[in-house]
């Protein structure tokens, strides 16, 4: 009875996990708009982080978060003119679009309309749901929802490209977490629900567009490599013709890109190579150390004997004075013990160069070799009052 209860519990858990896995859907969104529109602040607010003091996005940033039963990945793409060219590389993966508009920047509303038209007219975006966030409603002079729709020609763009669209006036910097702008939450909920209604069809389209884009990238890569090969072959042919006209030999061809060894190696190979170099260096230093600690060679002994010959010998060795000869030998042995090592030896001065010139001595004083003047008798006191007798 107990075993059957456990089996039923395990089966129920497995079914529940498989059902939850099926319900948990992965959705990819692209967030685009002009620079300084508030895209990164909006993403931070959705994450529950402080949206203030945000630096401009260079390139793109990827954010993963959970929204209900969806695992959402948002690509926050930079809005500068030079960066907008990379937007098209993310269209194939996207299930929907979030377009952020700066409602307070009336001077750039025309640029915003042109940019939105380029996005919605792209073949990999047309037909997908689009959420328009009219951001910065807290600033003075911000356009209202109706004015934005009119200035962007939003109805015309949506109808031409068959995109479901929702516009939400909001302000991303007013709060985050529980105090986050409810309009943004409402807009995100609308976008995800519309993606869920046609999730299978949109996912199939995403997979197809992604495969086509990868195939196109591979084709472009092959064409680029072929162009490089043709240019290189043409250059080599020209060099060969010039060499034949001038009658000189052509230099050896450089290695192709495929034959060039990779500069990146495993760290284990680098460590082994450094250890081998260190062992080789120590092996080369060992003979030098052996030569330094080895006994004196004949050349060293001859140099010591030459040094000893230059030393003064105060005891003259004669056959009439054998004791003096013995003492001379003893003194010589003592002097040999006092020899400095070869590396500490000081060479004697060269006598042939002549004695060093001494500086000129100063002149003698005026009283040099003259008698000193007599000392004067100093008066002495003769009482407590310090009276002096003259």
């Amino acid at each position: 009875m107990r075993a059957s209860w456990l089996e039923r519990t395990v089966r129920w858990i497995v079914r529940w996990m498989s059902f939850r896995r099926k319900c948990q859907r992965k959705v990819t969104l692209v967030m685009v708009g002009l620079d300084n529109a508030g895209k990164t602040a909006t993403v931070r607010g959705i994450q529950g982080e402080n949206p203030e003091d945000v630096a401009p996005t260079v390139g793109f940033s990827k954010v993963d978060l959970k929204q209900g039963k969806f695992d959402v990945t948002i690509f926050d793409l930079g809005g500068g003119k030079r960066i907008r060219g990379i937007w098209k590389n993310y269209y194939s993966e996207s299930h929907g679009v979030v377009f952020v508009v700066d409602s307070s920047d009336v001077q750039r509303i025309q640029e915003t309309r042109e940019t939105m038209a380029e996005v919605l007219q792209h073949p990999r975006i047309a037909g997908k749901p689009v959420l328009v966030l009219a951001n910065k409603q807290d600033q003075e002079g911000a356009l209202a929802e109706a004015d934005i729709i009119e200035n962007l020609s939003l109805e015309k763009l949506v109808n031409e490209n068959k995109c479901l669209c929702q516009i939400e006036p909001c302000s991303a910097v007013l709060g985050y977490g529980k105090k986050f702008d409810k309009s943004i939450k409402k807009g995100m909920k609308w976008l995800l629900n519309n993606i869920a209604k046609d999730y299978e069809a949109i996912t199939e389209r995403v997979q197809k567009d992604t495969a086509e884009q990868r195939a196109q990238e591979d084709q472009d890569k092959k064409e680029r490599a072929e162009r490089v090969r043709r240019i290189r072959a043409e250059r080599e042919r020209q060099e060969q013709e010039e060499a034949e006209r001038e009658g000189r030999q052509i230099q050896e061809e450089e290695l192709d890109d495929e034959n060039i060894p990779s500069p990146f190696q495993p760290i284990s190979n680098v460590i082994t190579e450094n250890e081998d170099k260190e062992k080789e260096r120590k092996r080369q230093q060992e003979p030098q150390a052996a030569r330094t600690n080895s006994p004196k060679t004949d050349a060293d002994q001859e140099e010591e004997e030459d040094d000893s010959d230059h030393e003064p010998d105060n005891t003259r060795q004669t056959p009439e004075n054998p004791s003096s000869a013995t003492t001379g030998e003893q003194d010589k042995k003592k002097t040999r013990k006092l020899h400095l090592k070869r590396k500490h030896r000081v060479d004697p001065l060269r006598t042939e160069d002549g004695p060093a010139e001494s500086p000129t001595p100063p002149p003698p004083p005026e009283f040099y070799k003259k008698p000193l003047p007599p000392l004067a008798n100093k008066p002495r006191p003769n009482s407590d009052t310090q009276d002096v007798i003259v």
Side-chain angles (χ1 to χ4, degrees):
M1 188 73 179
R2 184 178 181 81
S4 61
W5 179 81
L6 288 175
E7 291 176 358
R8 289 197 301 270
T9 305
V10 170
R11 284 197 297 268
W12 181 83
I13 292 174
V14 171
R15 290 174 184 173
W16 179 81
M17 291 180 66
S18 61
F19 175 76
R20 182 177 177 83
R21 195 179 297 110
K22 289 180 181 179
C23 294
Q24 201 72 21
R25 297 175 173 179
K26 294 183 179 179
V27 175
T28 302
L29 304 176
V30 290
M31 182 171 289
V32 293
L34 301 186
D35 51 308
N36 199 33
K39 300 182 294 297
T40 305
T42 303
V43 173
R44 284 197 176 185
I46 295 173
Q47 286 181 284
E49 300 178 359
N50 191 348
E52 296 181 357
D53 299 333
V54 176
T57 303
V58 179
F60 75 96
S61 62
K62 181 182 177 182
V63 178
D64 296 322
L65 49 90
K66 293 196 70 168
Q67 290 287 312
K69 59 182 179 180
F70 297 98
D71 291 333
V72 182
T73 299
I74 301 178
F75 286 104
D76 176 18
L77 307 179
K81 288 185 178 181
R82 297 181 179 179
I83 305 175
R84 294 173 201 168
I86 70 171
W87 290 2
K88 58 184 179 181
N89 299 330
Y90 299 88
Y91 291 163
S92 60
E93 306 177 46
S94 64
H95 292 76
V97 179
V98 181
F99 198 101
V100 183
V101 180
D102 185 357
S103 305
S104 63
D105 195 353
V106 182
Q107 297 179 354
R108 302 182 68 187
I109 198 68
Q110 180 67 20
E111 184 181 358
T112 303
R113 188 183 69 81
E114 295 174 356
T115 306
M116 180 178 287
E118 292 179 1
V119 173
L120 298 184
Q121 290 171 3
H122 197 278
R124 292 196 173 104
I125 290 295
K128 295 180 180 179
V130 178
L131 172 64
V132 179
L133 296 178
N135 194 25
K136 300 187 180 182
Q137 290 290 321
D138 57 310
Q139 296 189 10
E140 186 178 356
L143 297 175
E145 178 181 349
D147 297 331
I148 292 176
I149 294 173
E150 181 180 356
N151 286 293
L152 296 180
S153 303
L154 195 56
E155 292 182 357
K156 180 181 178 181
L157 290 174
V158 168
N159 293 330
E160 288 178 352
N161 300 286
K162 299 179 181 179
C163 296
L164 293 175
C165 183
Q166 176 79 4
I167 183 169
E168 291 290 342
C170 62
S171 180
V173 297
L174 290 182
Y176 59 97
K178 294 183 179 180
K179 297 182 180 181
F180 188 55
D181 195 333
K182 295 181 180 179
S183 298
I184 299 178
K185 290 182 179 180
K186 181 181 176 182
M188 290 295 296
K189 185 178 180 180
W190 173 89
L191 181 59
L192 294 175
N193 287 338
N194 280 274
I195 292 173
K197 290 178 182 179
D198 203 9
Y199 182 77
E200 287 76 13
I202 296 177
T203 303
E204 183 178 355
R205 180 182 172 184
V206 166
Q207 294 174 355
K208 180 182 176 182
D209 292 344
T210 304
E212 290 178 356
Q213 181 173 347
R214 290 177 180 173
Q216 184 65 34
E217 290 176 354
D218 294 340
Q219 183 66 24
D220 294 342
K221 185 177 180 181
K222 291 179 181 178
E223 292 178 357
R224 190 162 52 248
E226 181 65 20
R227 287 196 301 270
V228 172
R229 188 191 65 79
R230 287 199 301 267
I231 294 172
R232 183 177 298 175
E234 181 66 21
R235 185 176 66 246
E236 292 175 356
R237 187 183 61 81
Q238 293 178 359
E239 291 178 355
Q240 183 69 23
E241 292 178 356
E242 292 178 0
E244 291 177 356
R245 287 196 301 267
E246 297 176 2
R248 57 183 174 83
Q249 294 182 355
I250 196 71
Q251 295 181 355
E252 295 183 359
E253 298 180 356
E254 298 180 356
L255 293 174
D256 296 337
D257 295 340
E258 299 178 355
N259 300 327
I260 294 176
S262 175
F264 303 101
Q265 301 179 6
I267 188 64
S268 58
N269 295 352
V270 178
I271 294 174
T272 305
E273 185 178 352
N274 293 338
E275 290 177 353
D276 295 341
K277 290 181 180 180
E278 184 67 19
K279 290 180 181 179
E280 182 66 22
R281 187 179 63 81
K282 290 181 179 179
R283 193 179 298 109
Q284 293 177 358
Q285 289 179 353
E286 285 178 359
Q288 297 178 0
R291 287 197 298 269
T292 305
N293 299 328
S294 62
K296 297 178 181 179
T297 59
D298 297 340
D300 296 340
Q301 291 180 0
E302 290 178 0
E303 289 179 2
E304 288 186 359
E305 290 177 359
D306 295 341
D307 295 341
S308 62
D309 293 338
H310 289 293
E311 291 179 2
D313 190 1
N314 296 329
T315 307
R316 189 185 299 263
Q317 299 179 7
T318 58
E320 293 80 12
N321 191 4
S323 60
S324 62
T326 306
T327 55
E329 291 178 359
Q330 292 177 357
D331 294 338
K332 196 171 185 179
K333 291 181 181 178
K334 291 181 181 179
T335 54
R336 284 186 180 180
K337 291 182 181 179
L338 296 175
H339 274 314
L340 297 176
K341 292 184 179 180
R342 183 177 181 183
K343 59 183 180 179
H344 296 150
R345 189 180 63 205
V346 180
D347 296 332
L349 294 174
R350 297 183 180 180
T351 56
E352 60 270 13
D353 295 340
E357 296 181 358
S358 59
T360 305
E366 296 180 359
F367 53 85
Y368 182 68
K369 292 184 179 182
K370 293 182 180 181
L372 295 175
L375 295 174
N377 292 327
K378 295 182 179 181
R380 292 178 298 173
N382 56 0
S383 67
D384 296 337
T385 57
Q386 302 295 328
D387 294 333
V388 179
I389 300 174
V390 181

